[in-house]
């Protein structure tokens, strides 16, 4: 491992030592469709996950139900985005769930404005804005600029008490609303970089190699992480296998994500560029590698990893049908452009490959929790509880 002193970070290799624990049920999942009638229960056609109405888990006095504009309801629009719950009353409205203190969870929220109020409130020059919080800590600001775009932020977080809250906060730039809310209990060994001091807010999660634009979720990912497929640059080609990949229990890429990879055409280098508008953003990155080709004795795939021109890891050779995760052991920050170059060594007979990548920004937990009997996080008006079970 090579230290970059001006950014004070390390790259670390985690080798898969056992097959990933595969869950064959949705135990530990909570899936709320926000806004439909109280008795709504259905199984999603794509994921086969059971969704229920959020009706019993919110304060009816503080919220209103709407259906999105009828011209936007098409067969391709997921059912969860056809209704919404808005919060015109109160500054802060929260969904609160029972949790296991110290347990790590994935939270995913979904938002599609759909011109539900007929006011055309979401415009590029005048976005609809409101804030999201996890417990008492700021998560992100939503900027909604049109009626049909879907925003689906995710965060990996640790429960600091026996409850976990997701809050919508009115900042004066539009009425907060929500389309869906999902919580997933993660295995205790996963994503330990998310801890009691900071959470990981997803920027993107890519499976490299398949046709661009497909989504891989449960049941192919047993913990229902959402992977966007990306075929990459025209100067890349794809590798694939139908054989299972031995995966790491410490990060989330399942076998189906790792069964494809990108590799450069007529080149010995593959480059990934990440741009940050705000140089103060603290970035956490995970790269996944697995050799998909059974190499003969004369073949070698070996490469070094360069960060902004500096060699930070290698030489490295992916293992056949077994995944490795190479990740930053501290946040990267202080610059706008992050360039990662995977460059073949002189001894290598094959170009580098890359199977998948995750990029997160740090969400720092700066505010203490409020006792549940003191009003549930700054007097959130929504106080209904739903039980989460750990795995």
């Amino acid at each position: 491992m090579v230290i970059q002193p001006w950014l004070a970070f390390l790259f670390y290799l985690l080798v898969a030592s056992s097959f990933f624990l595969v869950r064959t049920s949705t135990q530990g999942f909570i899936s709320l469709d926000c806004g439909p009638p109280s008795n709504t229960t259905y199984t999603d056609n794509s994921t086969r996950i059971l969704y229920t109405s959020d009706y019993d888990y919110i304060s009816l006095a503080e919220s209103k139900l709407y259906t999105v504009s009828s011209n936007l309801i098409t067969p391709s629009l997921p059912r969860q985005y056809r209704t919404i719950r808005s919060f015109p009353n109160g500054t802060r409205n929260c969904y609160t769930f029972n949790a296991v203190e110290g347990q790590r969870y994935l939270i995913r929220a979904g938002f599609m404005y759909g011109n539900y109020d007929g006011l055309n409130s979401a415009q590029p020059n005048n976005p609809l804005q409101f804030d999201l919080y996890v417990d008492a800590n700021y998560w992100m600001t939503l900027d909604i600029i049109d009626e049909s775009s879907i925003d689906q932020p995710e965060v990996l977080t640790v429960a600091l008490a026996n409850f976990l809250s997701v809050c919508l906060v009115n900042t004066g730039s539009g009425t907060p609303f929500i389309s869906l809310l999902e919580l997933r209990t993660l295995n205790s060994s996963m994503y330990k970089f998310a801890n009691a001091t900071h959470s990981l807010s997803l920027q993107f999660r890519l499976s490299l190699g398949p046709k661009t634009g497909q989504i891989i979720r449960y049941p192919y990912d047993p913990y229902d992480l959402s992977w966007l497929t990306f075929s990459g640059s025209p100067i890349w080609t794809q590798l694939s296998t139908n054989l299972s990949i031995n995966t790491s229990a410490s990060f989330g890429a399942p076998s189906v994500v790792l069964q494809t990879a990108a590799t450069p055409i007529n080149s010995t280098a593959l480059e990934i560029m990440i741009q940050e508008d705000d140089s103060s953003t603290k970035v956490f990155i995970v790269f996944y590698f697995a050799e998909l080709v059974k190499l003969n004795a004369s073949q070698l795939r070996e490469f070094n990893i360069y960060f902004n021109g500096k060699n930070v890891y290698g030489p490295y050779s992916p293992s056949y049908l077994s995944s490795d995760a190479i990740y930053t052991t501290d946040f990267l920050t202080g610059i706008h452009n992050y360039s990662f170059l995977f460059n073949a060594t002189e001894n290598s007979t094959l170009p580098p490959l890359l199977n998948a990548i995750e990029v997160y920004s740090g969400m720092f937990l700066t505010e203490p929790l409020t006792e549940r009997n003191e009003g549930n996080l700054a007097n959130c008006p929504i106080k209904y509880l739903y039980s989460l079970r750990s795995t």
Side-chain angles (χ1 to χ4, degrees), residues 5-69:
W6 58 283
L7 280 178
F9 76 92
L10 300 174
F11 270 94
Y12 186 77
L13 169 67
L14 183 71
V15 180
S17 58
S18 62
F19 281 95
F20 199 82
L21 176 62
V22 176
R23 176 169 46 193
T24 57
S25 74
T26 56
Q27 179 178 342
F29 285 19
I30 295 175
S31 305
L32 301 182
D33 187 341
C34 303
S38 60
N39 60 348
T40 300
T41 300
Y42 62 90
T43 299
D44 183 82
N45 290 332
S46 177
T47 63
R48 311 308 299 169
I49 292 173
L50 180 68
Y51 284 81
T52 60
S53 171
D54 68 337
Y55 185 91
D56 292 330
Y57 313 116
I58 50 78
S59 169
L60 299 182
E62 303 296 339
S63 66
K64 294 184 178 180
L65 311 182
Y66 291 92
T67 302
V68 301
S69 179

Side-chain angles (χ1 to χ4, degrees), residues 27-322:
Q27 179 178 342
F29 285 19
I30 295 175
S31 305
L32 301 182
D33 187 341
C34 303
S38 60
N39 60 348
T40 300
T41 300
Y42 62 90
T43 299
D44 183 82
N45 290 332
S46 177
T47 63
R48 311 308 299 169
I49 292 173
L50 180 68
Y51 284 81
T52 60
S53 171
D54 68 337
Y55 185 91
D56 292 330
Y57 313 116
I58 50 78
S59 169
L60 299 182
E62 303 296 339
S63 66
K64 294 184 178 180
L65 311 182
Y66 291 92
T67 302
V68 301
S69 179
S70 59
N71 66 294
L72 298 175
I73 300 178
T74 65
S76 62
L77 181 67
R79 181 170 177 177
Q80 298 91 337
Y81 290 97
R82 301 181 184 188
T83 59
I84 65 99
R85 186 175 298 277
S86 74
F87 298 94
N89 302 317
T91 300
R92 183 184 186 97
N93 290 272
C94 300
Y95 290 79
T96 301
F97 305 87
N98 281 347
V100 177
E101 184 175 354
Q103 174 67 56
R104 203 167 284 107
Y105 297 95
L106 178 151
I107 299 171
R108 180 165 46 230
F111 307 87
M112 190 185 88
Y113 169 55
N115 196 27
Y116 72 87
D117 53 6
L119 300 177
N120 295 305
S121 298
Q123 302 292 335
N125 59 348
N126 187 28
L128 193 163
Q129 295 179 323
F130 52 91
D131 289 347
L132 300 180
Y133 279 68
V134 176
D135 295 332
N137 293 283
Y138 173 79
W139 176 7
M140 65 179 298
T141 297
L142 278 172
D143 289 280
I144 299 171
I145 62 173
D146 63 51
E147 62 179 19
S148 60
S149 293
I150 290 176
D151 291 283
Q152 197 165 279
E154 293 183 20
V155 65
L156 308 181
T157 194
V158 171
L160 301 181
N162 62 353
F163 63 97
L164 190 63
S165 292
V166 180
C167 302
L168 291 77
V169 176
N170 191 326
T171 59
S173 298
T175 299
F177 71 90
I178 189 167
S179 304
L180 70 89
L181 182 59
E182 300 169 336
L183 286 93
R184 308 291 185 245
T185 305
L186 301 178
N187 188 276
S188 59
S189 66
M190 296 172 64
Y191 296 99
K192 290 186 176 180
F193 198 76
N195 56 39
T197 64
H198 53 260
S199 299
L200 296 175
S201 180
L202 181 67
Q203 291 195 21
F204 61 86
R205 185 185 291 123
L206 298 179
S207 172
L208 300 180
K211 182 179 178 181
T212 295
Q214 300 173 340
I215 300 294
I216 299 172
R217 286 186 56 178
Y218 185 87
Y220 304 104
D221 186 309
Y223 292 90
D224 196 31
L225 278 68
S226 179
W227 299 85
L228 178 65
T229 62
F230 182 62
S231 60
S233 165
I235 62 174
W236 294 359
T237 190
Q238 288 74 47
L239 302 175
S240 65
T241 182
N242 292 323
L243 301 175
S244 295
I245 308 297
N246 188 18
T247 61
S248 166
S250 294
F251 289 101
S255 179
V256 68
V257 166
L258 300 169
Q259 286 173 319
T260 60
T263 188
I265 301 172
N266 298 323
S267 175
T268 60
L270 184 153
E271 186 175 20
I272 298 291
M273 296 288 297
I274 301 169
Q275 295 183 328
E276 296 290 343
D277 293 335
D278 184 354
S279 64
S280 67
T281 300
K282 299 184 185 303
V283 181
F284 176 74
I285 303 171
V286 186
F287 297 109
Y288 295 90
F289 305 91
E291 179 60 73
L292 306 181
V293 179
K294 182 68 172 177
L295 305 184
N296 60 43
S298 65
Q299 293 177 304
L300 174 66
R301 194 187 309 276
E302 183 182 74
F303 51 91
N304 292 306
I305 301 175
Y306 293 81
F307 173 67
N308 286 0
K310 297 179 183 293
N311 188 338
V312 294
Y313 198 90
Y316 164 72
S317 293
S319 303
Y320 180 57
L321 299 183
S322 186

